[in-house]
């Protein structure tokens, strides 16, 4: 190609490109057209490959012409994109209306997991009764979980079946009772605490989860007797299940309390007549309790001749399942929004 032929070729490329850009209806199309002419494999590039065959003054002339063509296509492109974008805004303003009088969309959310609600409710309740909240670790030593609680070495609760042992020799606490020992060692007397938290056992069925929640209660002072225990528990039962709910203590055994008692309430489903939930006994077991064993007090540096105390431990899942009539413990952990919304 001669210099003149190349200049006229550039001229026609420019004309074609500007015309094609003017035809585009969308920004994406304008980008494509621009690339077809100015891109690395575009028509402009094809022509410029022939540049090296020209004499020097021809090169200069074609170079200038190609710059002018490039600039013209570039600005035609920018102009077109601007026009298309403005048209799009116009169209949106014209066609896409928002009815500001429509009611807003309501977001439904649950109030929280019933377990969390139950725990918070119980903490409130015991705080009203004068208990302070104490905390303890979930990873425990054998000492706090068993030994200091007067568990004999061969006690079945130490069995690997129930206790989840860790490789470092520690364990996941099987109950909140180790916090009894921790608070007795750390706090000034008198002590009146509850300790809510997670506990772990090797156990899984419709009423047992390997991770569950307990609230421990401990009251140590001079002259604490079984009457204080019964009074506190009766106040708790009245507040939690309604004034007048029947309550009874059944003799039981825990290594760290003496005497020990399991506490039942009159079945809240059948009123004591007997039904499936209470296995036709008319009673529902809700917690374990007792007077702190003198060995436990002594081990924590407290003189059992001067001080005495009671302790209790309740399962939060069990209370929640009874109160909210939840048939399967796994519902509490599934996080199914259809279930959670009901609370
Ligand atoms: N720690 C006992 C359990 O998990 C419950 C309990 C607590 C019993 C305090 C007596 C006193 O079964």
């Amino acid at each position: 190609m001669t210099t003149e032929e190349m200049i006229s070729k550039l001229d026609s490329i420019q004309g074609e490109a500007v015309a094609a850009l003017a035809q585009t209806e969308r920004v994406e199309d304008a980008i494509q057209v621009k690339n077809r002419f100015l891109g690395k494999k575009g028509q402009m590039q094809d022509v410029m490959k022939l540049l090296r065959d020209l004499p020097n003054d021809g090169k200069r002339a074609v170079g200038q012409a190609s710059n002018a063509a490039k600039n013209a296509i570039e600005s035609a492109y920018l102009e077109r994109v601007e026009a298309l974008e403005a048209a799009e805004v116009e169209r949106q303003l014209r066609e896409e209306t928002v009815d500001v009088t429509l009611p807003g969309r309501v977001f439904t959310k649950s109030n929280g997991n019933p377990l969390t609600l139950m725990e918070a409710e119980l903490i409130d309740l015991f705080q009203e009764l004068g208990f302070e909240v104490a905390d303890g670790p979930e990873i425990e030593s054998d000492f706090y979980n068993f030994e200091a609680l007067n568990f004999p070495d061969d006690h079945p609760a130490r069995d690997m079946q129930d206790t989840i042992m860790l490789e470092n020799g520690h364990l996941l606490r099987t109950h909140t009772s180790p916090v009894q020992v921790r608070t007795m060692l750390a706090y000034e007397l008198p002590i009146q605490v509850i300790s809510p938290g997670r506990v772990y056992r090797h156990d899984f069925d419709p009423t047992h989860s390997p991770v569950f929640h307990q609230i421990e209660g401990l009251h140590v002072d001079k002259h604490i007797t079984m009457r204080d225990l019964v009074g506190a528990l009766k106040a708790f039962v009245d507040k939690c299940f309604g004034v007048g709910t029947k309550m009874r203590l059944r003799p039981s055994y825990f290594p760290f309390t003496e005497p020990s008692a399991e506490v039942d309430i009159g079945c809240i489903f059948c009123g004591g007549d007997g039904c499936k939930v209470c296995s036709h006994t008319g009673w529902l077991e809700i917690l374990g309790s007792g007077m702190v064993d003198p060995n436990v007090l002594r081990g924590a540096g407290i003189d059992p001749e001067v001080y005495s105390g009671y302790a209790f431990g309740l399962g939060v899942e069990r209370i929640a399942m009874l109160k909210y009539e939840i048939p399967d413990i796994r519902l509490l952990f599934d996080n199914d929004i259809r279930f959670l919304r009901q609370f």
Side-chain angles (χ1 to χ4, degrees):
M1 257 197 254
T2 64
T3 302
E4 288 70 33
E5 279 170 338
M6 277 187 72
I7 288 176
S8 96
K9 179 68 185 162
L10 287 170
D11 210 39
S12 69
I13 287 176
Q14 178 186 329
E16 232 182 283
V18 171
L21 282 167
Q23 299 278 310
T24 55
E25 294 295 340
R26 299 178 316 160
V27 173
E28 296 85 341
D29 298 338
I31 293 171
Q32 271 194 358
V33 170
K34 186 182 86 150
N35 284 339
R36 182 144 51 86
F37 289 97
L38 296 185
K40 272 203 183 108
K41 289 180 183 149
Q43 292 190 21
M44 202 73 147
Q45 231 18 57
D46 289 344
V47 179
M48 297 307 279
K49 275 180 197 144
L50 307 170
L51 201 64
R52 62 180 128 84
D53 300 333
L54 292 179
N56 275 347
D57 53 349
K59 279 182 187 150
R60 203 173 307 115
V62 171
Q64 281 169 0
S66 87
N67 273 341
K70 244 187 250 170
N71 288 339
I73 297 170
E74 198 75 57
S75 53
Y77 162 77
L78 289 175
E79 225 171 86
R80 187 63 192 158
V81 168
E82 228 169 87
L84 289 172
E85 282 174 349
E88 174 59 14
V89 173
E90 281 296 321
R91 189 196 62 76
Q92 282 178 348
L93 286 172
R94 197 172 52 244
E95 292 173 15
E96 295 180 12
T97 54
V98 175
D99 183 350
V100 294
T101 66
L102 276 176
R105 209 170 287 182
V106 181
F107 285 95
T108 50
K109 60 169 185 139
S110 84
N111 295 317
N113 189 290
L115 200 53
T116 320
L117 298 177
M118 192 74 244
E119 189 184 60
E121 202 181 305
L122 291 170
I123 291 172
D124 270 3
L125 191 160
F126 282 112
Q127 280 181 325
E128 275 178 44
L129 295 177
F131 290 81
E132 245 183 279
V133 178
D135 204 10
E138 290 170 27
I139 295 175
E140 263 300 4
S141 61
D142 182 89
F143 175 78
Y144 287 110
N145 198 83
F146 293 126
E147 200 182 319
L149 288 168
N150 202 33
F151 276 79
D153 261 342
D154 54 356
H155 195 276
R158 285 197 183 203
D159 200 304
M160 295 288 289
Q161 295 246 313
D162 294 315
T163 309
I164 298 171
M165 301 296 301
L166 302 178
E167 279 173 0
N168 62 7
H170 282 53
L171 48 82
L172 296 179
R173 66 178 180 186
T174 57
H175 50 177
T176 42
S177 300
V179 187
Q180 284 188 35
V181 181
R182 288 181 174 276
T183 50
M184 284 192 276
L185 286 171
Y187 286 32
E188 297 277 325
L189 291 165
I191 294 169
Q192 191 182 2
V193 292
I194 52 161
S195 188
R198 277 189 201 110
V199 299
Y200 303 81
R201 283 184 206 178
H202 199 285
D203 216 352
F204 200 26
D205 65 40
T207 53
H208 294 89
S209 157
V211 184
F212 61 107
H213 298 73
Q214 289 189 334
I215 294 181
E216 192 79 9
L218 175 71
H219 192 172
V220 181
D221 200 350
K222 287 174 181 156
H223 315 299
I224 295 282
T225 71
M226 201 97 185
R227 289 169 55 161
D228 298 292
L229 170 64
V230 173
L233 292 177
K234 186 70 188 128
F236 151 66
V237 167
D238 279 349
K239 274 176 182 276
C240 189
F241 295 101
V243 177
T245 305
K246 277 199 247 166
M247 181 183 103
R248 74 173 184 187
L249 273 67
R250 245 177 326 109
S252 183
Y253 172 77
F254 298 103
F256 40 94
T257 46
E258 183 59 35
S260 303
E262 223 110 31
V263 176
D264 299 340
I265 56 168
C267 182
I268 50 179
F269 299 104
C270 62
D273 295 342
C275 68
K276 242 171 83 181
V277 185
C278 62
S279 308
H280 302 282
T281 61
W283 295 94
L284 298 166
E285 183 190 318
I286 56 162
L287 58 86
S289 68
M291 301 306 292
V292 181
D293 193 289
N295 281 340
V296 175
L297 291 173
R298 222 174 281 123
I302 295 170
D303 183 354
E305 300 299 328
V306 182
Y307 286 96
S308 54
Y310 66 76
F312 59 84
L314 58 85
V316 184
E317 280 80 359
R318 173 135 182 90
I319 307 279
M321 287 171 77
L322 290 175
K323 239 194 123 155
Y324 300 131
E325 297 182 41
I326 299 166
D328 190 320
I329 198 168
R330 289 167 289 203
L331 285 166
L332 293 169
F333 303 108
D334 282 346
N335 271 342
D336 186 330
I337 195 75
R338 290 168 302 179
F339 171 75
L340 297 178
R341 271 198 192 124
Q342 299 173 46
F343 297 92

